[in-house]
Amino acid sequence: MRGIIGRLVPEDAAIRTGLRWKLSAAIALVGALVAIALSLVVHNAAQVSMLNSARDLADERIQVAQRMYESGRTQTFGTKIDDPAIPRDLLEKVMQGRRATFASWDRNGVPDTWAAVPLKDGRVLSLHTRTDRSVGVIKDLDQALIIGSIAVVLGGSALGVLIGGQLSGRLRKAAAAANRVAKGETDVRVRDAIGGVVRDETDDLARAVDAMADALQQRLEAERRVTADIAHELRTPVTGLLTAAELLPPGRPTELVLDRAKAMRTLVEDVLEVARLDGASERAELQDIMLGEFVTRRVAAKDADVDVRVIHESEVTTDPRRLERVLFNLLANAARHGKPPIEVSVEGRVIRVRDHGPGFPEELLAEGPSRFRTGRSDRSGQGHGLGLTIAAGQARVLGARLTFRNIRAPGVPEHVPAEGAVAVLWLPEHAPTDTGSFPMLPMSGK
């Protein structure tokens, strides 16, 4: 059933609530149910007790009235002889020679009590009483029960918010720390982030996440070292292969061998660069440059057919070599997987590279560049998926942000092919320091 409901309700339409409100609602619901149950029990017990007290009182009075009648005295307590209004059930018991009582609640909620006793002369002496005071007592009791129930529900809700808030706060801190770990901050520990003196299941979860993060970090580091070592060991034989290929006699076979040898050398160099970027040891060599002029000259030297527009010139502090690497990789990706014309625009600290091809794969838009994964076939006929990975890594070293999106006309469905792809490089306002961190901004006095 849950699976059916999950398929019927879209994930975006799911109702998201905080843990504190769920816990508060649960405590309030349980408190309300308990308060209602206890109120009903107390209410019924009070009614039964009042009826029993009224019957006992009526029984005592009818006995006194019987003795007074049989001794020839005047009737008391409003007793009657052979009252035609006596309830049938009570009359049947009295006709059997027994003294009996009968009590019930009338339409107005007033206790209606009867007591009857057979006399020696065969007649029936009865007493009928109605106690209006009991109605007020029951109403006061019900009012007190309602006020108490409301107080219990409100108190339970407040307690739930307090307890749930503390637990939710710890879980939010744990989630924030886990997200920082996922973004590559290896020195963050979830257990230290949540803090607190109380030890509960949240601490167990934090320790498990920390252990998982350490294990993954060790595995990734081992894989990075293996990849770097393999690529490093391949450099010498690949260089020798390229040198030997250059000594071959001219011809088509020689061109094919040279082309594949150069491609292998490029791949080895790219893998080494990815390994260095993964090691987080790269540092930017900063210079002050005019961004629009820099991009115009570099793009013109790379491909004169690419149109460059400088919308707004600005001076930036960055690493020109790494910026050029990012720019060239974006141009190479647009040329390989997109369609002309390729356009580059510079606006302040933002560089945009657009092509008019089928757009980026959905996996890349959702998860970002990934090595050795080139996406769908209509945009990945060749390549190893390292170009955008290197561009994203170099952007991180520069402290920049690299984003990707597809161009679609407004209102066009998602399944319709895009009209182009845009990669946007956002350079930071403040360049990273030699340690890879960012300088503290001066406090503005106001």
Side-chain angles (χ1 to χ4, degrees):
M1 188 66 173
R2 291 180 58 187
I4 296 175
I5 296 176
R7 290 192 296 268
L8 293 177
V9 179
E11 184 176 357
D12 295 340
I15 300 175
R16 186 178 185 275
T17 57
L19 180 61
R20 67 168 66 185
W21 304 116
K22 292 179 180 178
L23 187 59
S24 175
I27 293 179
L29 179 60
V30 173
L33 293 176
V34 172
I36 292 173
L38 290 178
S39 298
L40 291 176
V41 170
V42 172
H43 177 84
N44 292 332
Q47 283 188 328
V48 171
S49 177
M50 288 183 179
L51 286 179
N52 290 335
S53 298
R55 294 176 67 170
D56 292 340
L57 180 59
D59 186 59
E60 293 178 0
R61 289 180 175 179
I62 199 65
Q63 292 182 55
V64 173
Q66 180 186 13
R67 289 194 297 267
M68 294 177 65
Y69 178 83
E70 292 177 347
S71 63
R73 300 179 186 177
T74 306
Q75 299 180 32
T76 58
F77 308 118
T79 56
K80 295 182 180 180
I81 302 296
D82 293 334
D83 189 348
I86 297 178
R88 182 182 299 274
D89 294 339
L90 178 61
L91 184 59
E92 290 177 355
K93 293 180 181 179
V94 173
M95 297 305 294
Q96 295 175 4
R98 296 185 300 168
R99 186 180 74 253
T101 58
F102 179 85
S104 64
W105 297 89
D106 64 9
R107 296 179 180 178
N108 298 323
V110 178
D112 191 6
T113 309
W114 287 82
V117 60
L119 301 175
K120 294 179 179 180
D121 56 3
R123 306 173 76 180
V124 176
L125 179 65
S126 62
L127 173 64
H128 182 208
T129 57
R130 290 167 57 88
T131 309
D132 296 338
R133 188 172 58 87
S134 301
V135 178
V137 174
I138 291 295
K139 288 183 178 180
D140 293 341
L141 177 61
D142 290 342
Q143 185 177 5
L145 291 174
I146 292 174
I147 295 175
S149 300
I150 294 175
V152 168
V153 172
L154 293 179
S157 300
L159 181 63
V161 171
L162 179 62
I163 298 176
Q166 293 179 350
L167 182 58
S168 177
R170 289 167 63 85
L171 290 176
R172 290 181 186 277
K173 291 179 181 179
N179 287 331
R180 293 174 60 190
V181 172
K183 292 179 181 178
E185 300 184 28
T186 57
D187 58 336
V188 177
R189 289 296 175 266
V190 179
R191 178 63 193 87
D192 297 335
I194 62 176
V197 179
V198 179
R199 296 292 181 264
D200 53 19
E201 289 79 0
T202 310
D203 296 87
D204 299 335
L205 175 63
R207 292 190 182 93
V209 173
D210 289 340
M212 180 182 66
D214 291 337
L216 289 176
Q217 182 64 28
Q218 293 174 3
R219 180 174 297 180
L220 291 175
E221 182 63 24
E223 292 179 357
R224 187 191 66 81
R225 287 197 301 267
V226 170
T227 302
D229 292 342
I230 293 175
H232 183 76
E233 293 298 326
L234 285 175
R235 294 181 70 180
T236 301
V238 169
T239 303
L241 178 62
L242 184 61
T243 303
E246 292 175 348
L247 299 178
L248 294 175
R252 182 59 179 169
T254 300
E255 293 178 0
L256 293 176
V257 172
L258 279 173
D259 181 68
R260 293 299 88 197
K262 290 179 180 179
M264 185 177 296
R265 182 179 63 179
T266 301
L267 175 61
V268 171
E269 295 295 335
D270 287 347
V271 171
L272 277 174
E273 186 172 358
V274 170
R276 289 194 299 268
L277 292 172
D278 287 345
S281 58
E282 296 288 289
R283 295 291 178 265
E285 298 177 1
L286 304 177
Q287 297 181 21
D288 294 332
I289 62 173
M290 300 303 295
L291 185 60
E293 178 186 355
F294 175 85
V295 172
T296 301
R297 286 190 289 105
R298 292 297 190 273
V299 173
K302 179 71 174 177
D303 188 351
D305 295 333
V306 177
D307 181 30
V308 180
R309 292 189 306 123
V310 180
I311 301 174
H312 176 66
E313 181 66 281
S314 64
E315 183 178 4
V316 298
T317 302
T318 187
D319 188 329
R321 181 181 65 85
R322 298 184 187 276
L323 178 59
E324 180 182 291
R325 178 67 162 153
V326 175
L327 182 61
F328 283 1
N329 279 20
L330 294 179
L331 290 174
N333 182 81
R336 180 179 296 123
H337 302 299
K339 294 180 181 179
I342 299 174
E343 303 170 351
V344 178
S345 64
V346 180
E347 184 175 3
R349 299 175 178 274
V350 181
I351 302 175
R352 293 179 175 87
V353 178
R354 178 187 176 180
D355 63 63
H356 291 74
F360 290 113
E362 295 300 328
E363 295 83 357
L364 186 145
L365 296 178
E367 304 173 10
S370 179
R371 68 196 67 177
F372 301 110
R373 189 183 69 184
T374 55
R376 62 192 186 210
S377 58
D378 58 355
R379 192 179 168 91
S380 56
Q382 47 185 309
H384 303 282
L386 295 179
L388 294 183
T389 302
I390 293 174
Q394 295 289 8
R396 285 194 298 270
V397 177
L398 296 175
R401 183 164 59 97
L402 183 59
T403 61
F404 307 92
R405 65 184 179 90
N406 292 332
I407 302 298
R408 281 190 175 89
V412 175
E414 292 293 330
H415 65 274
V416 177
E419 299 177 357
V422 179
V424 185
L425 180 67
W426 311 73
L427 293 175
E429 183 177 357
H430 298 275
T433 64
D434 294 337
T435 61
S437 61
F438 288 85
M440 294 295 293
L441 298 179
M443 297 297 292
S444 58
K446 291 185 179 182

